[in-house]
Amino acid sequence: MFKAGGPDTLRFVPERPTAVLFDLDGTLLDTMGDLANSVNRLRSRRGLPSLSDRAVAGFVGDGPLTLMERVLPGLSRPELEAAEEEFLDDYLAHCTERTQPYPGIPEALDGLAGIPLGIVTNKPRNQTMRLVDSLGWRARFGAILASDDLERIKPDPLPIRTALERLGAEASGAWMIGDSTNDVEAGKAAGVRTILVSWGFQPLENVLPLGPDAVARTPREIPGIVFGRTSS
């Protein structure tokens, strides 16, 4: 495994990257404050106590309906679907209040200049584009795949393969960067290299057994990994 900045860093120069794909929540953006606030507004309306940001972080990543199953236990399917709609409306109205790029992400994106970039997220498109547009990032990414764009989401490889098709990029030289098991599993299934980030929502030790190709401890390490440069 290539661990950027670590004692076991491998020295190699891969072929020029064909594309770099990013997860959104927990990778590019720290969205947890706004997600947790929306979850807790739903819980409060049902007489349930608030959850910490850390607790909510353990529930996200598999789509909004699954999130509702985890944060509002015991509801029937129709009740969960109604709660999902309530959550989606609430979060869309508040999703830019606390959300920010992780420190170093803008510099990391600048360091990948000239490489086609994409976003592959399990977040719905309207939320995704509101966040992307609030940061003026639309022009940075040639492909943006959200949860409602295709019939399957990560960890299925379809969204990654579709993003690469839209970028005109070969999988053999591409990277998928994310913080979760979904990202690493989807990347491996799509035949791309994977970078696991250490600052995301899932604990690093939960994802490392999947064998990502590299671990980035800070966003600024990402260009060095992608281009095969060793970190000081």
Side-chain angles (χ1 to χ4, degrees), residues 45-125:
R45 292 168 197 149
R46 291 160 176 80
L48 297 171
S50 293
L51 298 172
S52 68
D53 288 8
R54 181 181 294 274
V56 175
F59 296 141
V60 302
D62 296 308
L65 185 62
T66 301
L67 176 61
M68 293 300 98
E69 292 173 348
R70 293 167 177 168
V71 302
L72 299 173
L75 297 187
S76 66
R77 180 74 181 197
E79 289 171 331
L80 284 171
E81 290 173 350
E84 178 189 25
E85 290 303 313
E86 181 184 348
F87 168 77
L88 292 173
D89 290 344
D90 184 281
Y91 179 67
L92 184 64
H94 299 281
C95 66
T96 63
E97 292 179 354
R98 294 174 61 188
T99 292
Q100 294 290 332
Y102 286 99
I105 284 294
E107 294 82 358
L109 295 176
D110 289 343
L112 296 170
I115 304 299
L117 303 181
I119 293 172
V120 179
T121 176
N122 285 354
K123 201 179 197 75
R125 172 157 287 274

Side-chain angles (χ1 to χ4, degrees), residues 93-152:
H94 299 281
C95 66
T96 63
E97 292 179 354
R98 294 174 61 188
T99 292
Q100 294 290 332
Y102 286 99
I105 284 294
E107 294 82 358
L109 295 176
D110 289 343
L112 296 170
I115 304 299
L117 303 181
I119 293 172
V120 179
T121 176
N122 285 354
K123 201 179 197 75
R125 172 157 287 274
N126 60 352
Q127 299 171 10
T128 297
M129 298 313 300
R130 179 160 295 186
L131 289 169
V132 168
D133 288 341
S134 75
L135 296 164
W137 278 4
R138 189 182 289 243
R140 283 189 180 265
F141 298 97
I144 300 175
L145 272 294
S147 64
D148 42 357
D149 290 337
L150 301 168
E151 62 269 24
R152 298 190 295 277

